[in-house]
Amino acid sequence: MKNFELFLSESGISIFYVKIGLGFLFAFLITFFSIPTIIKISRRKNLMDEPGIRSSHLRKIPNLGGIAIFYSIGITASIFAYELFDLYKFLFASLIILLYIGVMDDIVVMRAYKKLVAQIVVSSIIVIGSDIRIRSLFGIFGIYELGYIISIVFSIITFIVLINAFNLIDGIDGLAGGYSVICSGLFGISYYRLGEYNYPLVVLSVIIIGTVLAFLYYNLSNYRANKIFMGDTGSMLLGFLLAFTSICFIDIFIDKELPNVPRYHLQSAPVVAVAILILPIVDTLNVIIIRICNKKSPFDADKNHIHHKLLKLDLTHRRSTFYIIVYYLMIVTVAYYLRHININLLLLIVLFLGFLGAYLPDVIYRLRNNKKISI
């Protein structure tokens, strides 16, 4: 690869843009041509997602789309964003472990505590081994720099929460995939604007976009024979990678005085990252609050997720996904334009708008019912 880069530089061609173009193309094509084989094997071996109480589908659908997502990202990122694997030695190992537990859960359904233990191991490896951690809260609740142990624990918890949060929003066609594309796009643009030192992260973001867009072609298909879910394998991998990119984003704005590395300052960086990932964060917090208020275990399955509420309004999967993504994109826009105000005030605004979006469907549903009763 380095010889190829040398050839391009001598030819006057930008290596970065070649990586962007080829990374996207290869990621898309690998996923696109892998999924039909996975669907065929899944049907032959009956490796299907069975409709359950929480399911929003009525027929058995293959649910191993996450294997194609891993396969594509694993190959293309290793080639076009290899700097990340040089810099963060335990990144690929973490992805391999997540692939294993994801496939196990999609096929035989692992017990929750076993998944949690595996997620703790994965998060610990990347946080401690690769030093990917949240070092400062930039003044949120008056807290700035975190002590090493507190930083480690807080970062591990953040990884675990986001891995599971993305798993929870994967309840209707296109939502987890579509939101991953949006998040990767926003982080990718941010990294691009922050200079060439961050270009490997831009390439990774583009690879994720290419991979997930190919997956969405099948996930949103109207033909049952082509349809596939990403399963826990895909949702956990994407949750992990987006947690990784968000923590890297926050870390950029900490003045570490490294040689040849530009210094940036954005006091609200953690809140901007929260705004980008606001949907899975709010959705997870919302269902936990509802379950506790109803005196149920926070781990009990139910239909109180935002996407379930929109389906209750007789919206299709595609429309529900579209409305959710548009609403939460609006929150990111608000956070961007208010990024220079007090960080605690901005966090309050972002969370308020996030929870407002979670309860708007309930309000609309009640208004509709009241209208019907009055008629």
Side-chain angles (χ1 to χ4, degrees):
M1 187 67 186
K2 288 181 180 178
N3 291 334
F4 179 62
E5 289 181 5
L6 184 62
F7 167 74
L8 288 176
S9 61
E10 289 175 352
S11 305
I13 302 170
S14 172
I15 298 167
F16 169 66
Y17 293 110
V18 170
K19 285 183 177 180
I20 287 284
L22 291 179
F24 178 86
L25 182 64
F26 276 76
F28 184 91
L29 291 176
I30 290 170
T31 306
F32 188 83
F33 288 110
S34 299
I35 286 180
T37 303
I38 293 171
I39 292 174
K40 191 183 295 183
I41 294 170
S42 296
R43 292 190 181 282
R44 190 176 298 164
K45 301 294 182 182
N46 197 32
L47 304 174
M48 314 280 273
D49 184 59
E50 301 276 353
I53 297 172
R54 290 177 65 246
S55 300
S56 53
H57 60 285
L58 303 175
R59 296 188 180 95
K60 293 195 293 185
I61 303 290
N63 66 336
L64 294 175
I67 294 176
I69 291 172
F70 169 82
Y71 181 50
S72 177
I73 292 174
I75 292 173
T76 49
S78 298
I79 296 172
F80 299 107
Y82 63 86
E83 299 94 339
L84 293 176
F85 298 101
D86 285 341
L87 190 59
Y88 309 115
K89 303 293 183 185
F90 296 91
L91 178 58
F92 199 75
S94 301
L95 295 175
I96 292 287
I97 297 170
L98 280 174
L99 170 71
Y100 175 77
I101 61 171
V103 171
M104 286 285 289
D105 193 47
D106 287 331
I107 293 175
V108 298
V109 184
M110 290 177 68
R111 290 188 178 181
Y113 80 90
K114 289 184 178 179
K115 278 173 66 177
L116 180 60
V117 169
Q119 289 168 3
I120 291 171
V121 170
V122 167
S123 302
S124 301
I125 287 173
I126 195 70
V127 171
I128 299 170
S130 294
D131 203 33
I132 298 294
R133 56 191 175 90
I134 300 169
R135 305 165 201 273
S136 172
L137 291 186
F138 292 71
I140 294 176
F141 307 127
I143 302 170
Y144 288 86
E145 188 174 347
L146 299 174
Y148 181 73
I149 300 299
I150 295 173
S151 171
I152 290 288
V153 173
F154 184 61
S155 301
I156 289 172
I157 291 171
T158 300
F159 266 103
I160 293 168
V161 168
L162 287 174
I163 288 169
N164 286 291
F166 260 87
N167 191 14
L168 291 175
I169 67 168
D170 184 30
I172 59 174
D173 296 342
L175 183 56
Y179 202 75
S180 298
V181 168
I182 297 298
C183 291
S184 296
L186 292 170
F187 280 126
I189 292 167
S190 301
Y191 286 129
Y192 179 76
R193 294 182 64 192
L194 290 169
E196 63 183 63
Y197 180 77
N198 303 295
Y199 279 2
L201 285 163
V202 179
V203 177
L204 176 64
S205 298
V206 170
I207 286 169
I208 294 171
I209 292 169
T211 301
V212 177
L213 284 176
F215 163 77
L216 287 172
Y217 173 83
Y218 295 98
N219 182 236
L220 294 171
S221 174
N222 290 322
Y223 299 100
R224 189 182 162 216
N226 288 340
K227 201 168 192 66
I228 193 170
F229 297 151
M230 68 171 64
D232 281 5
T233 309
S235 61
M236 286 197 297
L237 281 169
L238 291 174
F240 172 82
L241 286 170
L242 289 167
F244 169 79
T245 51
S246 64
I247 292 175
C248 287
F249 172 79
I250 295 169
D251 198 51
I252 288 171
F253 296 97
I254 296 173
D255 192 356
K256 298 181 286 296
E257 298 186 14
L258 297 174
N260 303 319
V261 178
R263 296 182 186 180
Y264 306 99
H265 179 73
L266 180 63
Q267 187 70 26
S268 60
V271 180
V272 172
V274 167
I276 293 173
L277 297 170
I278 189 66
L279 170 61
I281 292 170
V282 162
D283 191 50
T284 302
L285 289 174
N286 178 50
V287 293
I288 289 173
I289 290 168
I290 291 172
R291 288 167 190 172
I292 291 172
C293 290
N294 292 333
K295 297 180 180 178
K296 293 181 178 178
S297 167
F299 305 104
D300 284 350
D302 57 33
K303 284 197 169 187
N304 287 313
H305 292 281
I306 298 169
H307 54 268
H308 287 135
K309 295 178 181 182
L310 287 175
L311 293 179
K312 204 173 169 184
L313 293 172
D314 298 323
L315 293 174
T316 63
H317 282 219
R318 290 186 182 188
R319 283 200 173 188
S320 299
T321 294
F322 176 76
Y323 290 146
I324 291 170
I325 289 176
V326 167
Y327 180 82
Y328 285 98
L329 260 178
M330 179 270 292
I331 296 176
V332 177
T333 305
V334 170
Y336 176 77
Y337 280 106
L338 298 179
R339 65 190 182 281
H340 295 302
I341 68 171
N342 178 273
I343 188 169
N344 289 291
L345 177 58
L346 182 59
L347 179 63
L348 185 65
I349 292 170
V350 166
L351 290 176
F352 171 76
L353 291 173
F355 278 101
L356 178 65
Y359 289 103
L360 267 177
D362 291 327
V363 173
I364 295 169
Y365 183 77
R366 286 178 185 175
L367 288 173
R368 275 191 186 178
N369 279 0
N370 290 340
K371 212 171 187 180
K372 286 178 184 177
I373 292 169
S374 63
I375 291 171

